[in-house]
Structure formats: C-alpha cells, structure tokens
Amino acid sequence: MEKWYPGHITEAKRELIDNLKMCDTVIEVVDARSPFASKNRELDKFIKGKNRILIINKSDLIEEKISINLEKNFKKKYRYVAAISAKSGKNMKRLLYILEAMFRKKKEKLQRRGVNAFPIRVVVLGVPNVGKSQIINKLIGRKVAGVANKPGFTRGKQWVRILPNVDLLDTPGILWTNSSENELKKMALIGSLKDSFHNTMGAAIHLIEIISKRGIEKAYQVVLTKEEPESVIEELTNIWKKSEEDVYKKLITDFRKGKLGLISLESA
Ligand SMILES: Nc1nc2c(ncn2[C@@H]2O[C@H](COP(=O)(O)OP(=O)(O)O)[C@@H](O)[C@H]2O)c(=O)[nH]1
Ligand SMILES: [Mg+2]
C-alpha cells in the first residue's frame, strides 16, 4: 500500500500515532536542499512531550555555509540539530553523541527513582527519500534498512539497536496534506513524490528558475541564448536531440544526483 497518496494519509497518521506511543524520542529528517518544504508543520501536534532531534541530511549536496546557517536557524526551535550526510558520513558522530546524551539523561532520571534504565526508543520520521534508512544503515555500519532512490520503499516495522542503549525504528515516509504548490514542486525535485504523482514539467521549470540559465550552462558546458525556463528547455531539446519530456527528466535526475552542483532550493 502506498502511504503517500492523500487517500492513505489517514491510515499513515494512525500508524504514526501507534509508532509514537512506543518511542520517547523522535528524529525528524529533512532534506538539506529543501529543508522547509520537506519539513512537517503538522508533526508538532503529534509529538508533544517527546525529545526531538532535527537532522538535516544530504548536506553534501549544498554549500557548507548554507548548512551552517540552516543549523543556526533551526536551533532557535530545536534543542538538537545536526546537518549531516549519511552518504559521506559527515557529522554522523554528532548524532550518536546526541543519542548517548539523551540516554544518560534518562538513566539519571530513572536512577533517582531507583529504576534501572532501559534503552531509549527512537522513531525516525520524515517524508520519503530524505535518507531515513540510509542514516540508520550508516549508524549501524551495515545494511539493514532498505534504501532506495524512490519514495515509499520502506515497509513494515524495522527496529534496530544502534547502540547498547538506543533502539531505532525506521518508518516509511509520510506526506502531508498542507503543502503549497511551490513546496510540492520542491518535494518532486528532491524525489519525495512518486514520479506519476507530480507534474514533471512544472518541477523542471521550477528548477531552472532557481539555478538560472547560467547554472545550466555551467553544469552542462553549453551556451544558451535566452533566460526564460521554457526557452532553456527548448534549446536543450535541440542540443541534446531529446524530447521535451526527456529533457525535464534528465534535469531532475541530474539534480537529484548532485550533478548540477551544490544547489539549495530554498534560502537558509
Ligand atoms: N547525496 C546523498 N544522498 C543520500 C544521502 N542519504 C541518502 N541518500 C540517498 O537518498 C536516497 C533515499 O535514501 P533512503 O534512505 O532510502 O530514504 P528514505 O526513503 O528516507 O528511507 C537513496 O538513493 C540514498 O542513497 C546523503 O546524505 N547524501
Ligand atoms: Mg526508507
């Protein structure tokens, strides 16, 4: 069953509430290239009273100074924030330190009441394709959680012990109903929406608007004459001898792989 279709959102929410009941800590994962669109405003009301960690993943795909700014900005709201890359391993240690610190705090609290501490249970949340499974795999150093470059790959419940005192629950990504048109385009670009579920042309044009004609020329070593995204597409169809549809797809695929350079879809 594909949880990101609006029709299934109610069911996905019910499952989320179930998962949350079992956990005391939430790791919310967002995509560094579009942290605001991939972040969930609805989540707040579900996770009152839990420890929260915000992870800005795929920071290898944006500029370092933007990563630092994002961390700074999110720290105004979240106590624990880390811009990481589950691919390169950057800052993964920080995430481990945060989890260890949380366990120590819990242990002290329980010891005061004369109770032995049990592992903290952490649920990993976020829209599809932000790298939740990859983060878990990196934390345990072997492949357990399914990783795929398509939304909705993770299914069923997958608990993994990543430290002697920390159990993690991987979850399938959940989409939300309150995203704006522009946010949906960004979600399509970062691969959080199924391809059949978004307008490829709209997403590709949005991408060109953000990186501009100059960015395209630089990425592909081509010379273009006009600025307008529609003209850029048309010129690329001629240069590459591809259909318009194939040009949209190529731009989006190359962006997702980081082949267009370090690109942020939102300002930090
Ligand atoms: N560049 C980059 N790619 C990543 C990173 N983390 C995950 N990915 C890729 O993003 C895609 C989705 O990862 P996955 O863990 O399945 O995402 P999930 O749907 O949130 O569980 C896969 O192709 C991963 O290889 C990262 O830090 N940097
Ligand atoms: Mg997954």
Side-chain angles (χ1 to χ4, degrees), residues 128-129 131-134 145-148 150 152-155 158 170-173:
N129 213 43
K132 298 178 294 298
S133 299
Q134 181 101 315
V147 175
K150 58 178 185 219
F153 182 76
T154 308
R155 296 200 166 81
Q158 306 200 34
D170 193 8
T171 61

Side-chain angles (χ1 to χ4, degrees), residues 29 57-61 84-89 126-135 137 146-154 170-173 256-257:
V29 185
N57 189 38
K58 307 202 185 185
S59 67
D60 56 295
L61 297 174
I84 70 166
S85 167
K87 190 175 177 192
S88 74
V127 297
N129 213 43
V130 291
K132 298 178 294 298
S133 299
Q134 181 101 315
I135 291 170
N137 288 334
V147 175
N149 199 1
K150 58 178 185 219
F153 182 76
T154 308
D170 193 8
T171 61
R256 287 182 190 162
K257 290 186 186 148

